[in-house]
Amino acid sequence: MIEHDIFRALADSTRRTIFEKLANGSMNASMLRQGMDISQPAMSQHLAVLRAARLVREQKEGRFVNYEVDPDGLALIAQWLAKYRAYWPARIDALKLLLKDMDQ
Amino acid sequence: MIEHDIFRALADSTRRTIFEKLANGSMNASMLRQGMDISQPAMSQHLAVLRAARLVREQKEGRFVNYEVDPDGLALIAQWLAKYRAYWPARIDALKLLLKDMDQ
DNA sequence: ACAAGACATAAGCATACACTTATGTGATTC
DNA sequence: GAATCACATAAGTGTATGCTTATGTCTTGT
């Protein structure tokens, strides 16, 4: 189940950090490691988990592998969230923000 | 970190099922167990995790404890998701629906 | 061709987690 | 007021998970 993979992938704070980094621009695994105090295999394993969850996708470039955010994963979260829209109170600032951003 | 609690809580399929049940109407723990093949302590522990993540809140009624969806948790997911709005493909129906609902 | 670099995979290990059984707590019923 | 019910908590256990070190694969540079 992809839904399970997504939430499991995001349950780890290191993977959330990696994802956030990629959201600010595509990077290869070595660049991602910079300033993260994480071994090369650990990074590779985290990226594999994020890939399985479709939160990230790879693009091989020679001996480098460029990683970028995969919109599919985010779309699936949005879909999951949309199921519960009946519970979103209109007052919540986060949602207003959301609305504003999507309006343009 | 509440963000961590939320994703960790949703990483478990049993807890997602519980949450989905509650989204269809408030229930106490015993009612939630029906048709779920889960022990009473296990249910209690799952509800504690969902509570810590602010995905669910309790309302004590005598010796019963009624559980309902807590919009705060959902709002926090929406907030998290909003950070990556640049990557949301415009085509996604779930998001369009979302937008429409929030517009009124 | 060979050395080195970028990354993936394998195997082992310590910790986290979801479950179990047992017990505790507070509210209701008889 | 004693038994029962609804639920929480404690303690123990097997499995999942995230890490490590070691090694493999493919590409690039010389």
Side-chain angles (χ1 to χ4, degrees), chain A residues 27-34 43-44 47 65-67:
Chain A
M27 265 185 261
N28 59 47
S30 299
M31 284 165 68
L32 274 169
R33 282 182 64 203
Q34 287 179 15
M43 174 59 77
S44 187
L47 286 168
V65 180
N66 208 268
Y67 281 95

Side-chain angles (χ1 to χ4, degrees), chain A residues 7 9-10 14 17 29-31 35-37 41 44 47 55-57 63 70 74-75 82 89 97 103:
Chain A
F7 287 124
L10 293 173
T14 303
T17 302
S30 299
M31 284 165 68
M36 276 203 68
D37 191 35
S44 187
L47 286 168
L55 284 163
V56 146
R57 62 188 173 197
R63 68 177 154 174
D70 186 345
L74 290 171
L97 193 77
D103 219 3

Side-chain angles (χ1 to χ4, degrees), chain A residues 1 3 7 79-81 83-84 87, chain B residues 9-10 12-27 32 36 47 50 55-56 67-69 74:
Chain A
M1 180 102 93
E3 198 172 78
F7 287 124
Q79 260 175 344
W80 183 89
L81 203 57
K83 287 193 293 185
Y84 309 106
Y87 289 96
Chain B
L10 292 173
D12 183 80
S13 73
T14 303
R15 282 195 289 268
R16 285 198 306 277
T17 302
I18 294 169
F19 184 78
E20 211 156 323
K21 274 192 156 193
L22 287 176
N24 291 325
S26 302
M27 265 186 259
L32 274 169
M36 275 202 70
L47 287 169
L50 288 168
L55 284 163
V56 146
Y67 280 95
E68 59 183 4
V69 168
L74 290 171

Side-chain angles (χ1 to χ4, degrees), chain B:
Chain B
M1 179 101 93
I2 186 78
E3 200 171 77
H4 183 269
D5 292 335
I6 289 183
F7 286 124
R8 198 180 72 76
L10 292 173
D12 183 80
S13 73
T14 303
R15 282 195 289 268
R16 285 198 306 277
T17 302
I18 294 169
F19 184 78
E20 211 156 323
K21 274 192 156 193
L22 287 176
N24 291 325
S26 302
M27 265 186 259
N28 59 49
S30 298
M31 285 165 67
L32 274 169
R33 283 183 62 203
Q34 287 179 16
M36 275 202 70
D37 191 36
I38 190 177
S39 71
Q40 179 269 316
M43 175 59 77
S44 187
Q45 286 159 16
H46 280 309
L47 287 169
V49 172
L50 288 168
R51 244 185 298 135
R54 300 181 67 176
L55 284 163
V56 146
R57 62 188 173 197
E58 65 178 21
Q59 207 171 350
K60 307 215 177 189
E61 289 174 13
R63 68 177 154 176
F64 297 86
V65 180
N66 207 268
Y67 280 95
E68 59 183 4
V69 168
D70 186 344
D72 288 356
L74 290 171
L76 284 161
I77 299 177
Q79 255 176 346
W80 183 89
L81 202 58
K83 287 193 293 184
Y84 308 108
R85 62 189 179 276
Y87 292 96
W88 298 1
R91 56 172 168 77
I92 292 178
D93 292 336
L95 296 177
K96 288 183 195 160
L97 195 75
L98 204 74
L99 179 61
K100 205 182 297 174
D101 284 340
M102 295 176 60
D103 219 3
Q104 48 195 344

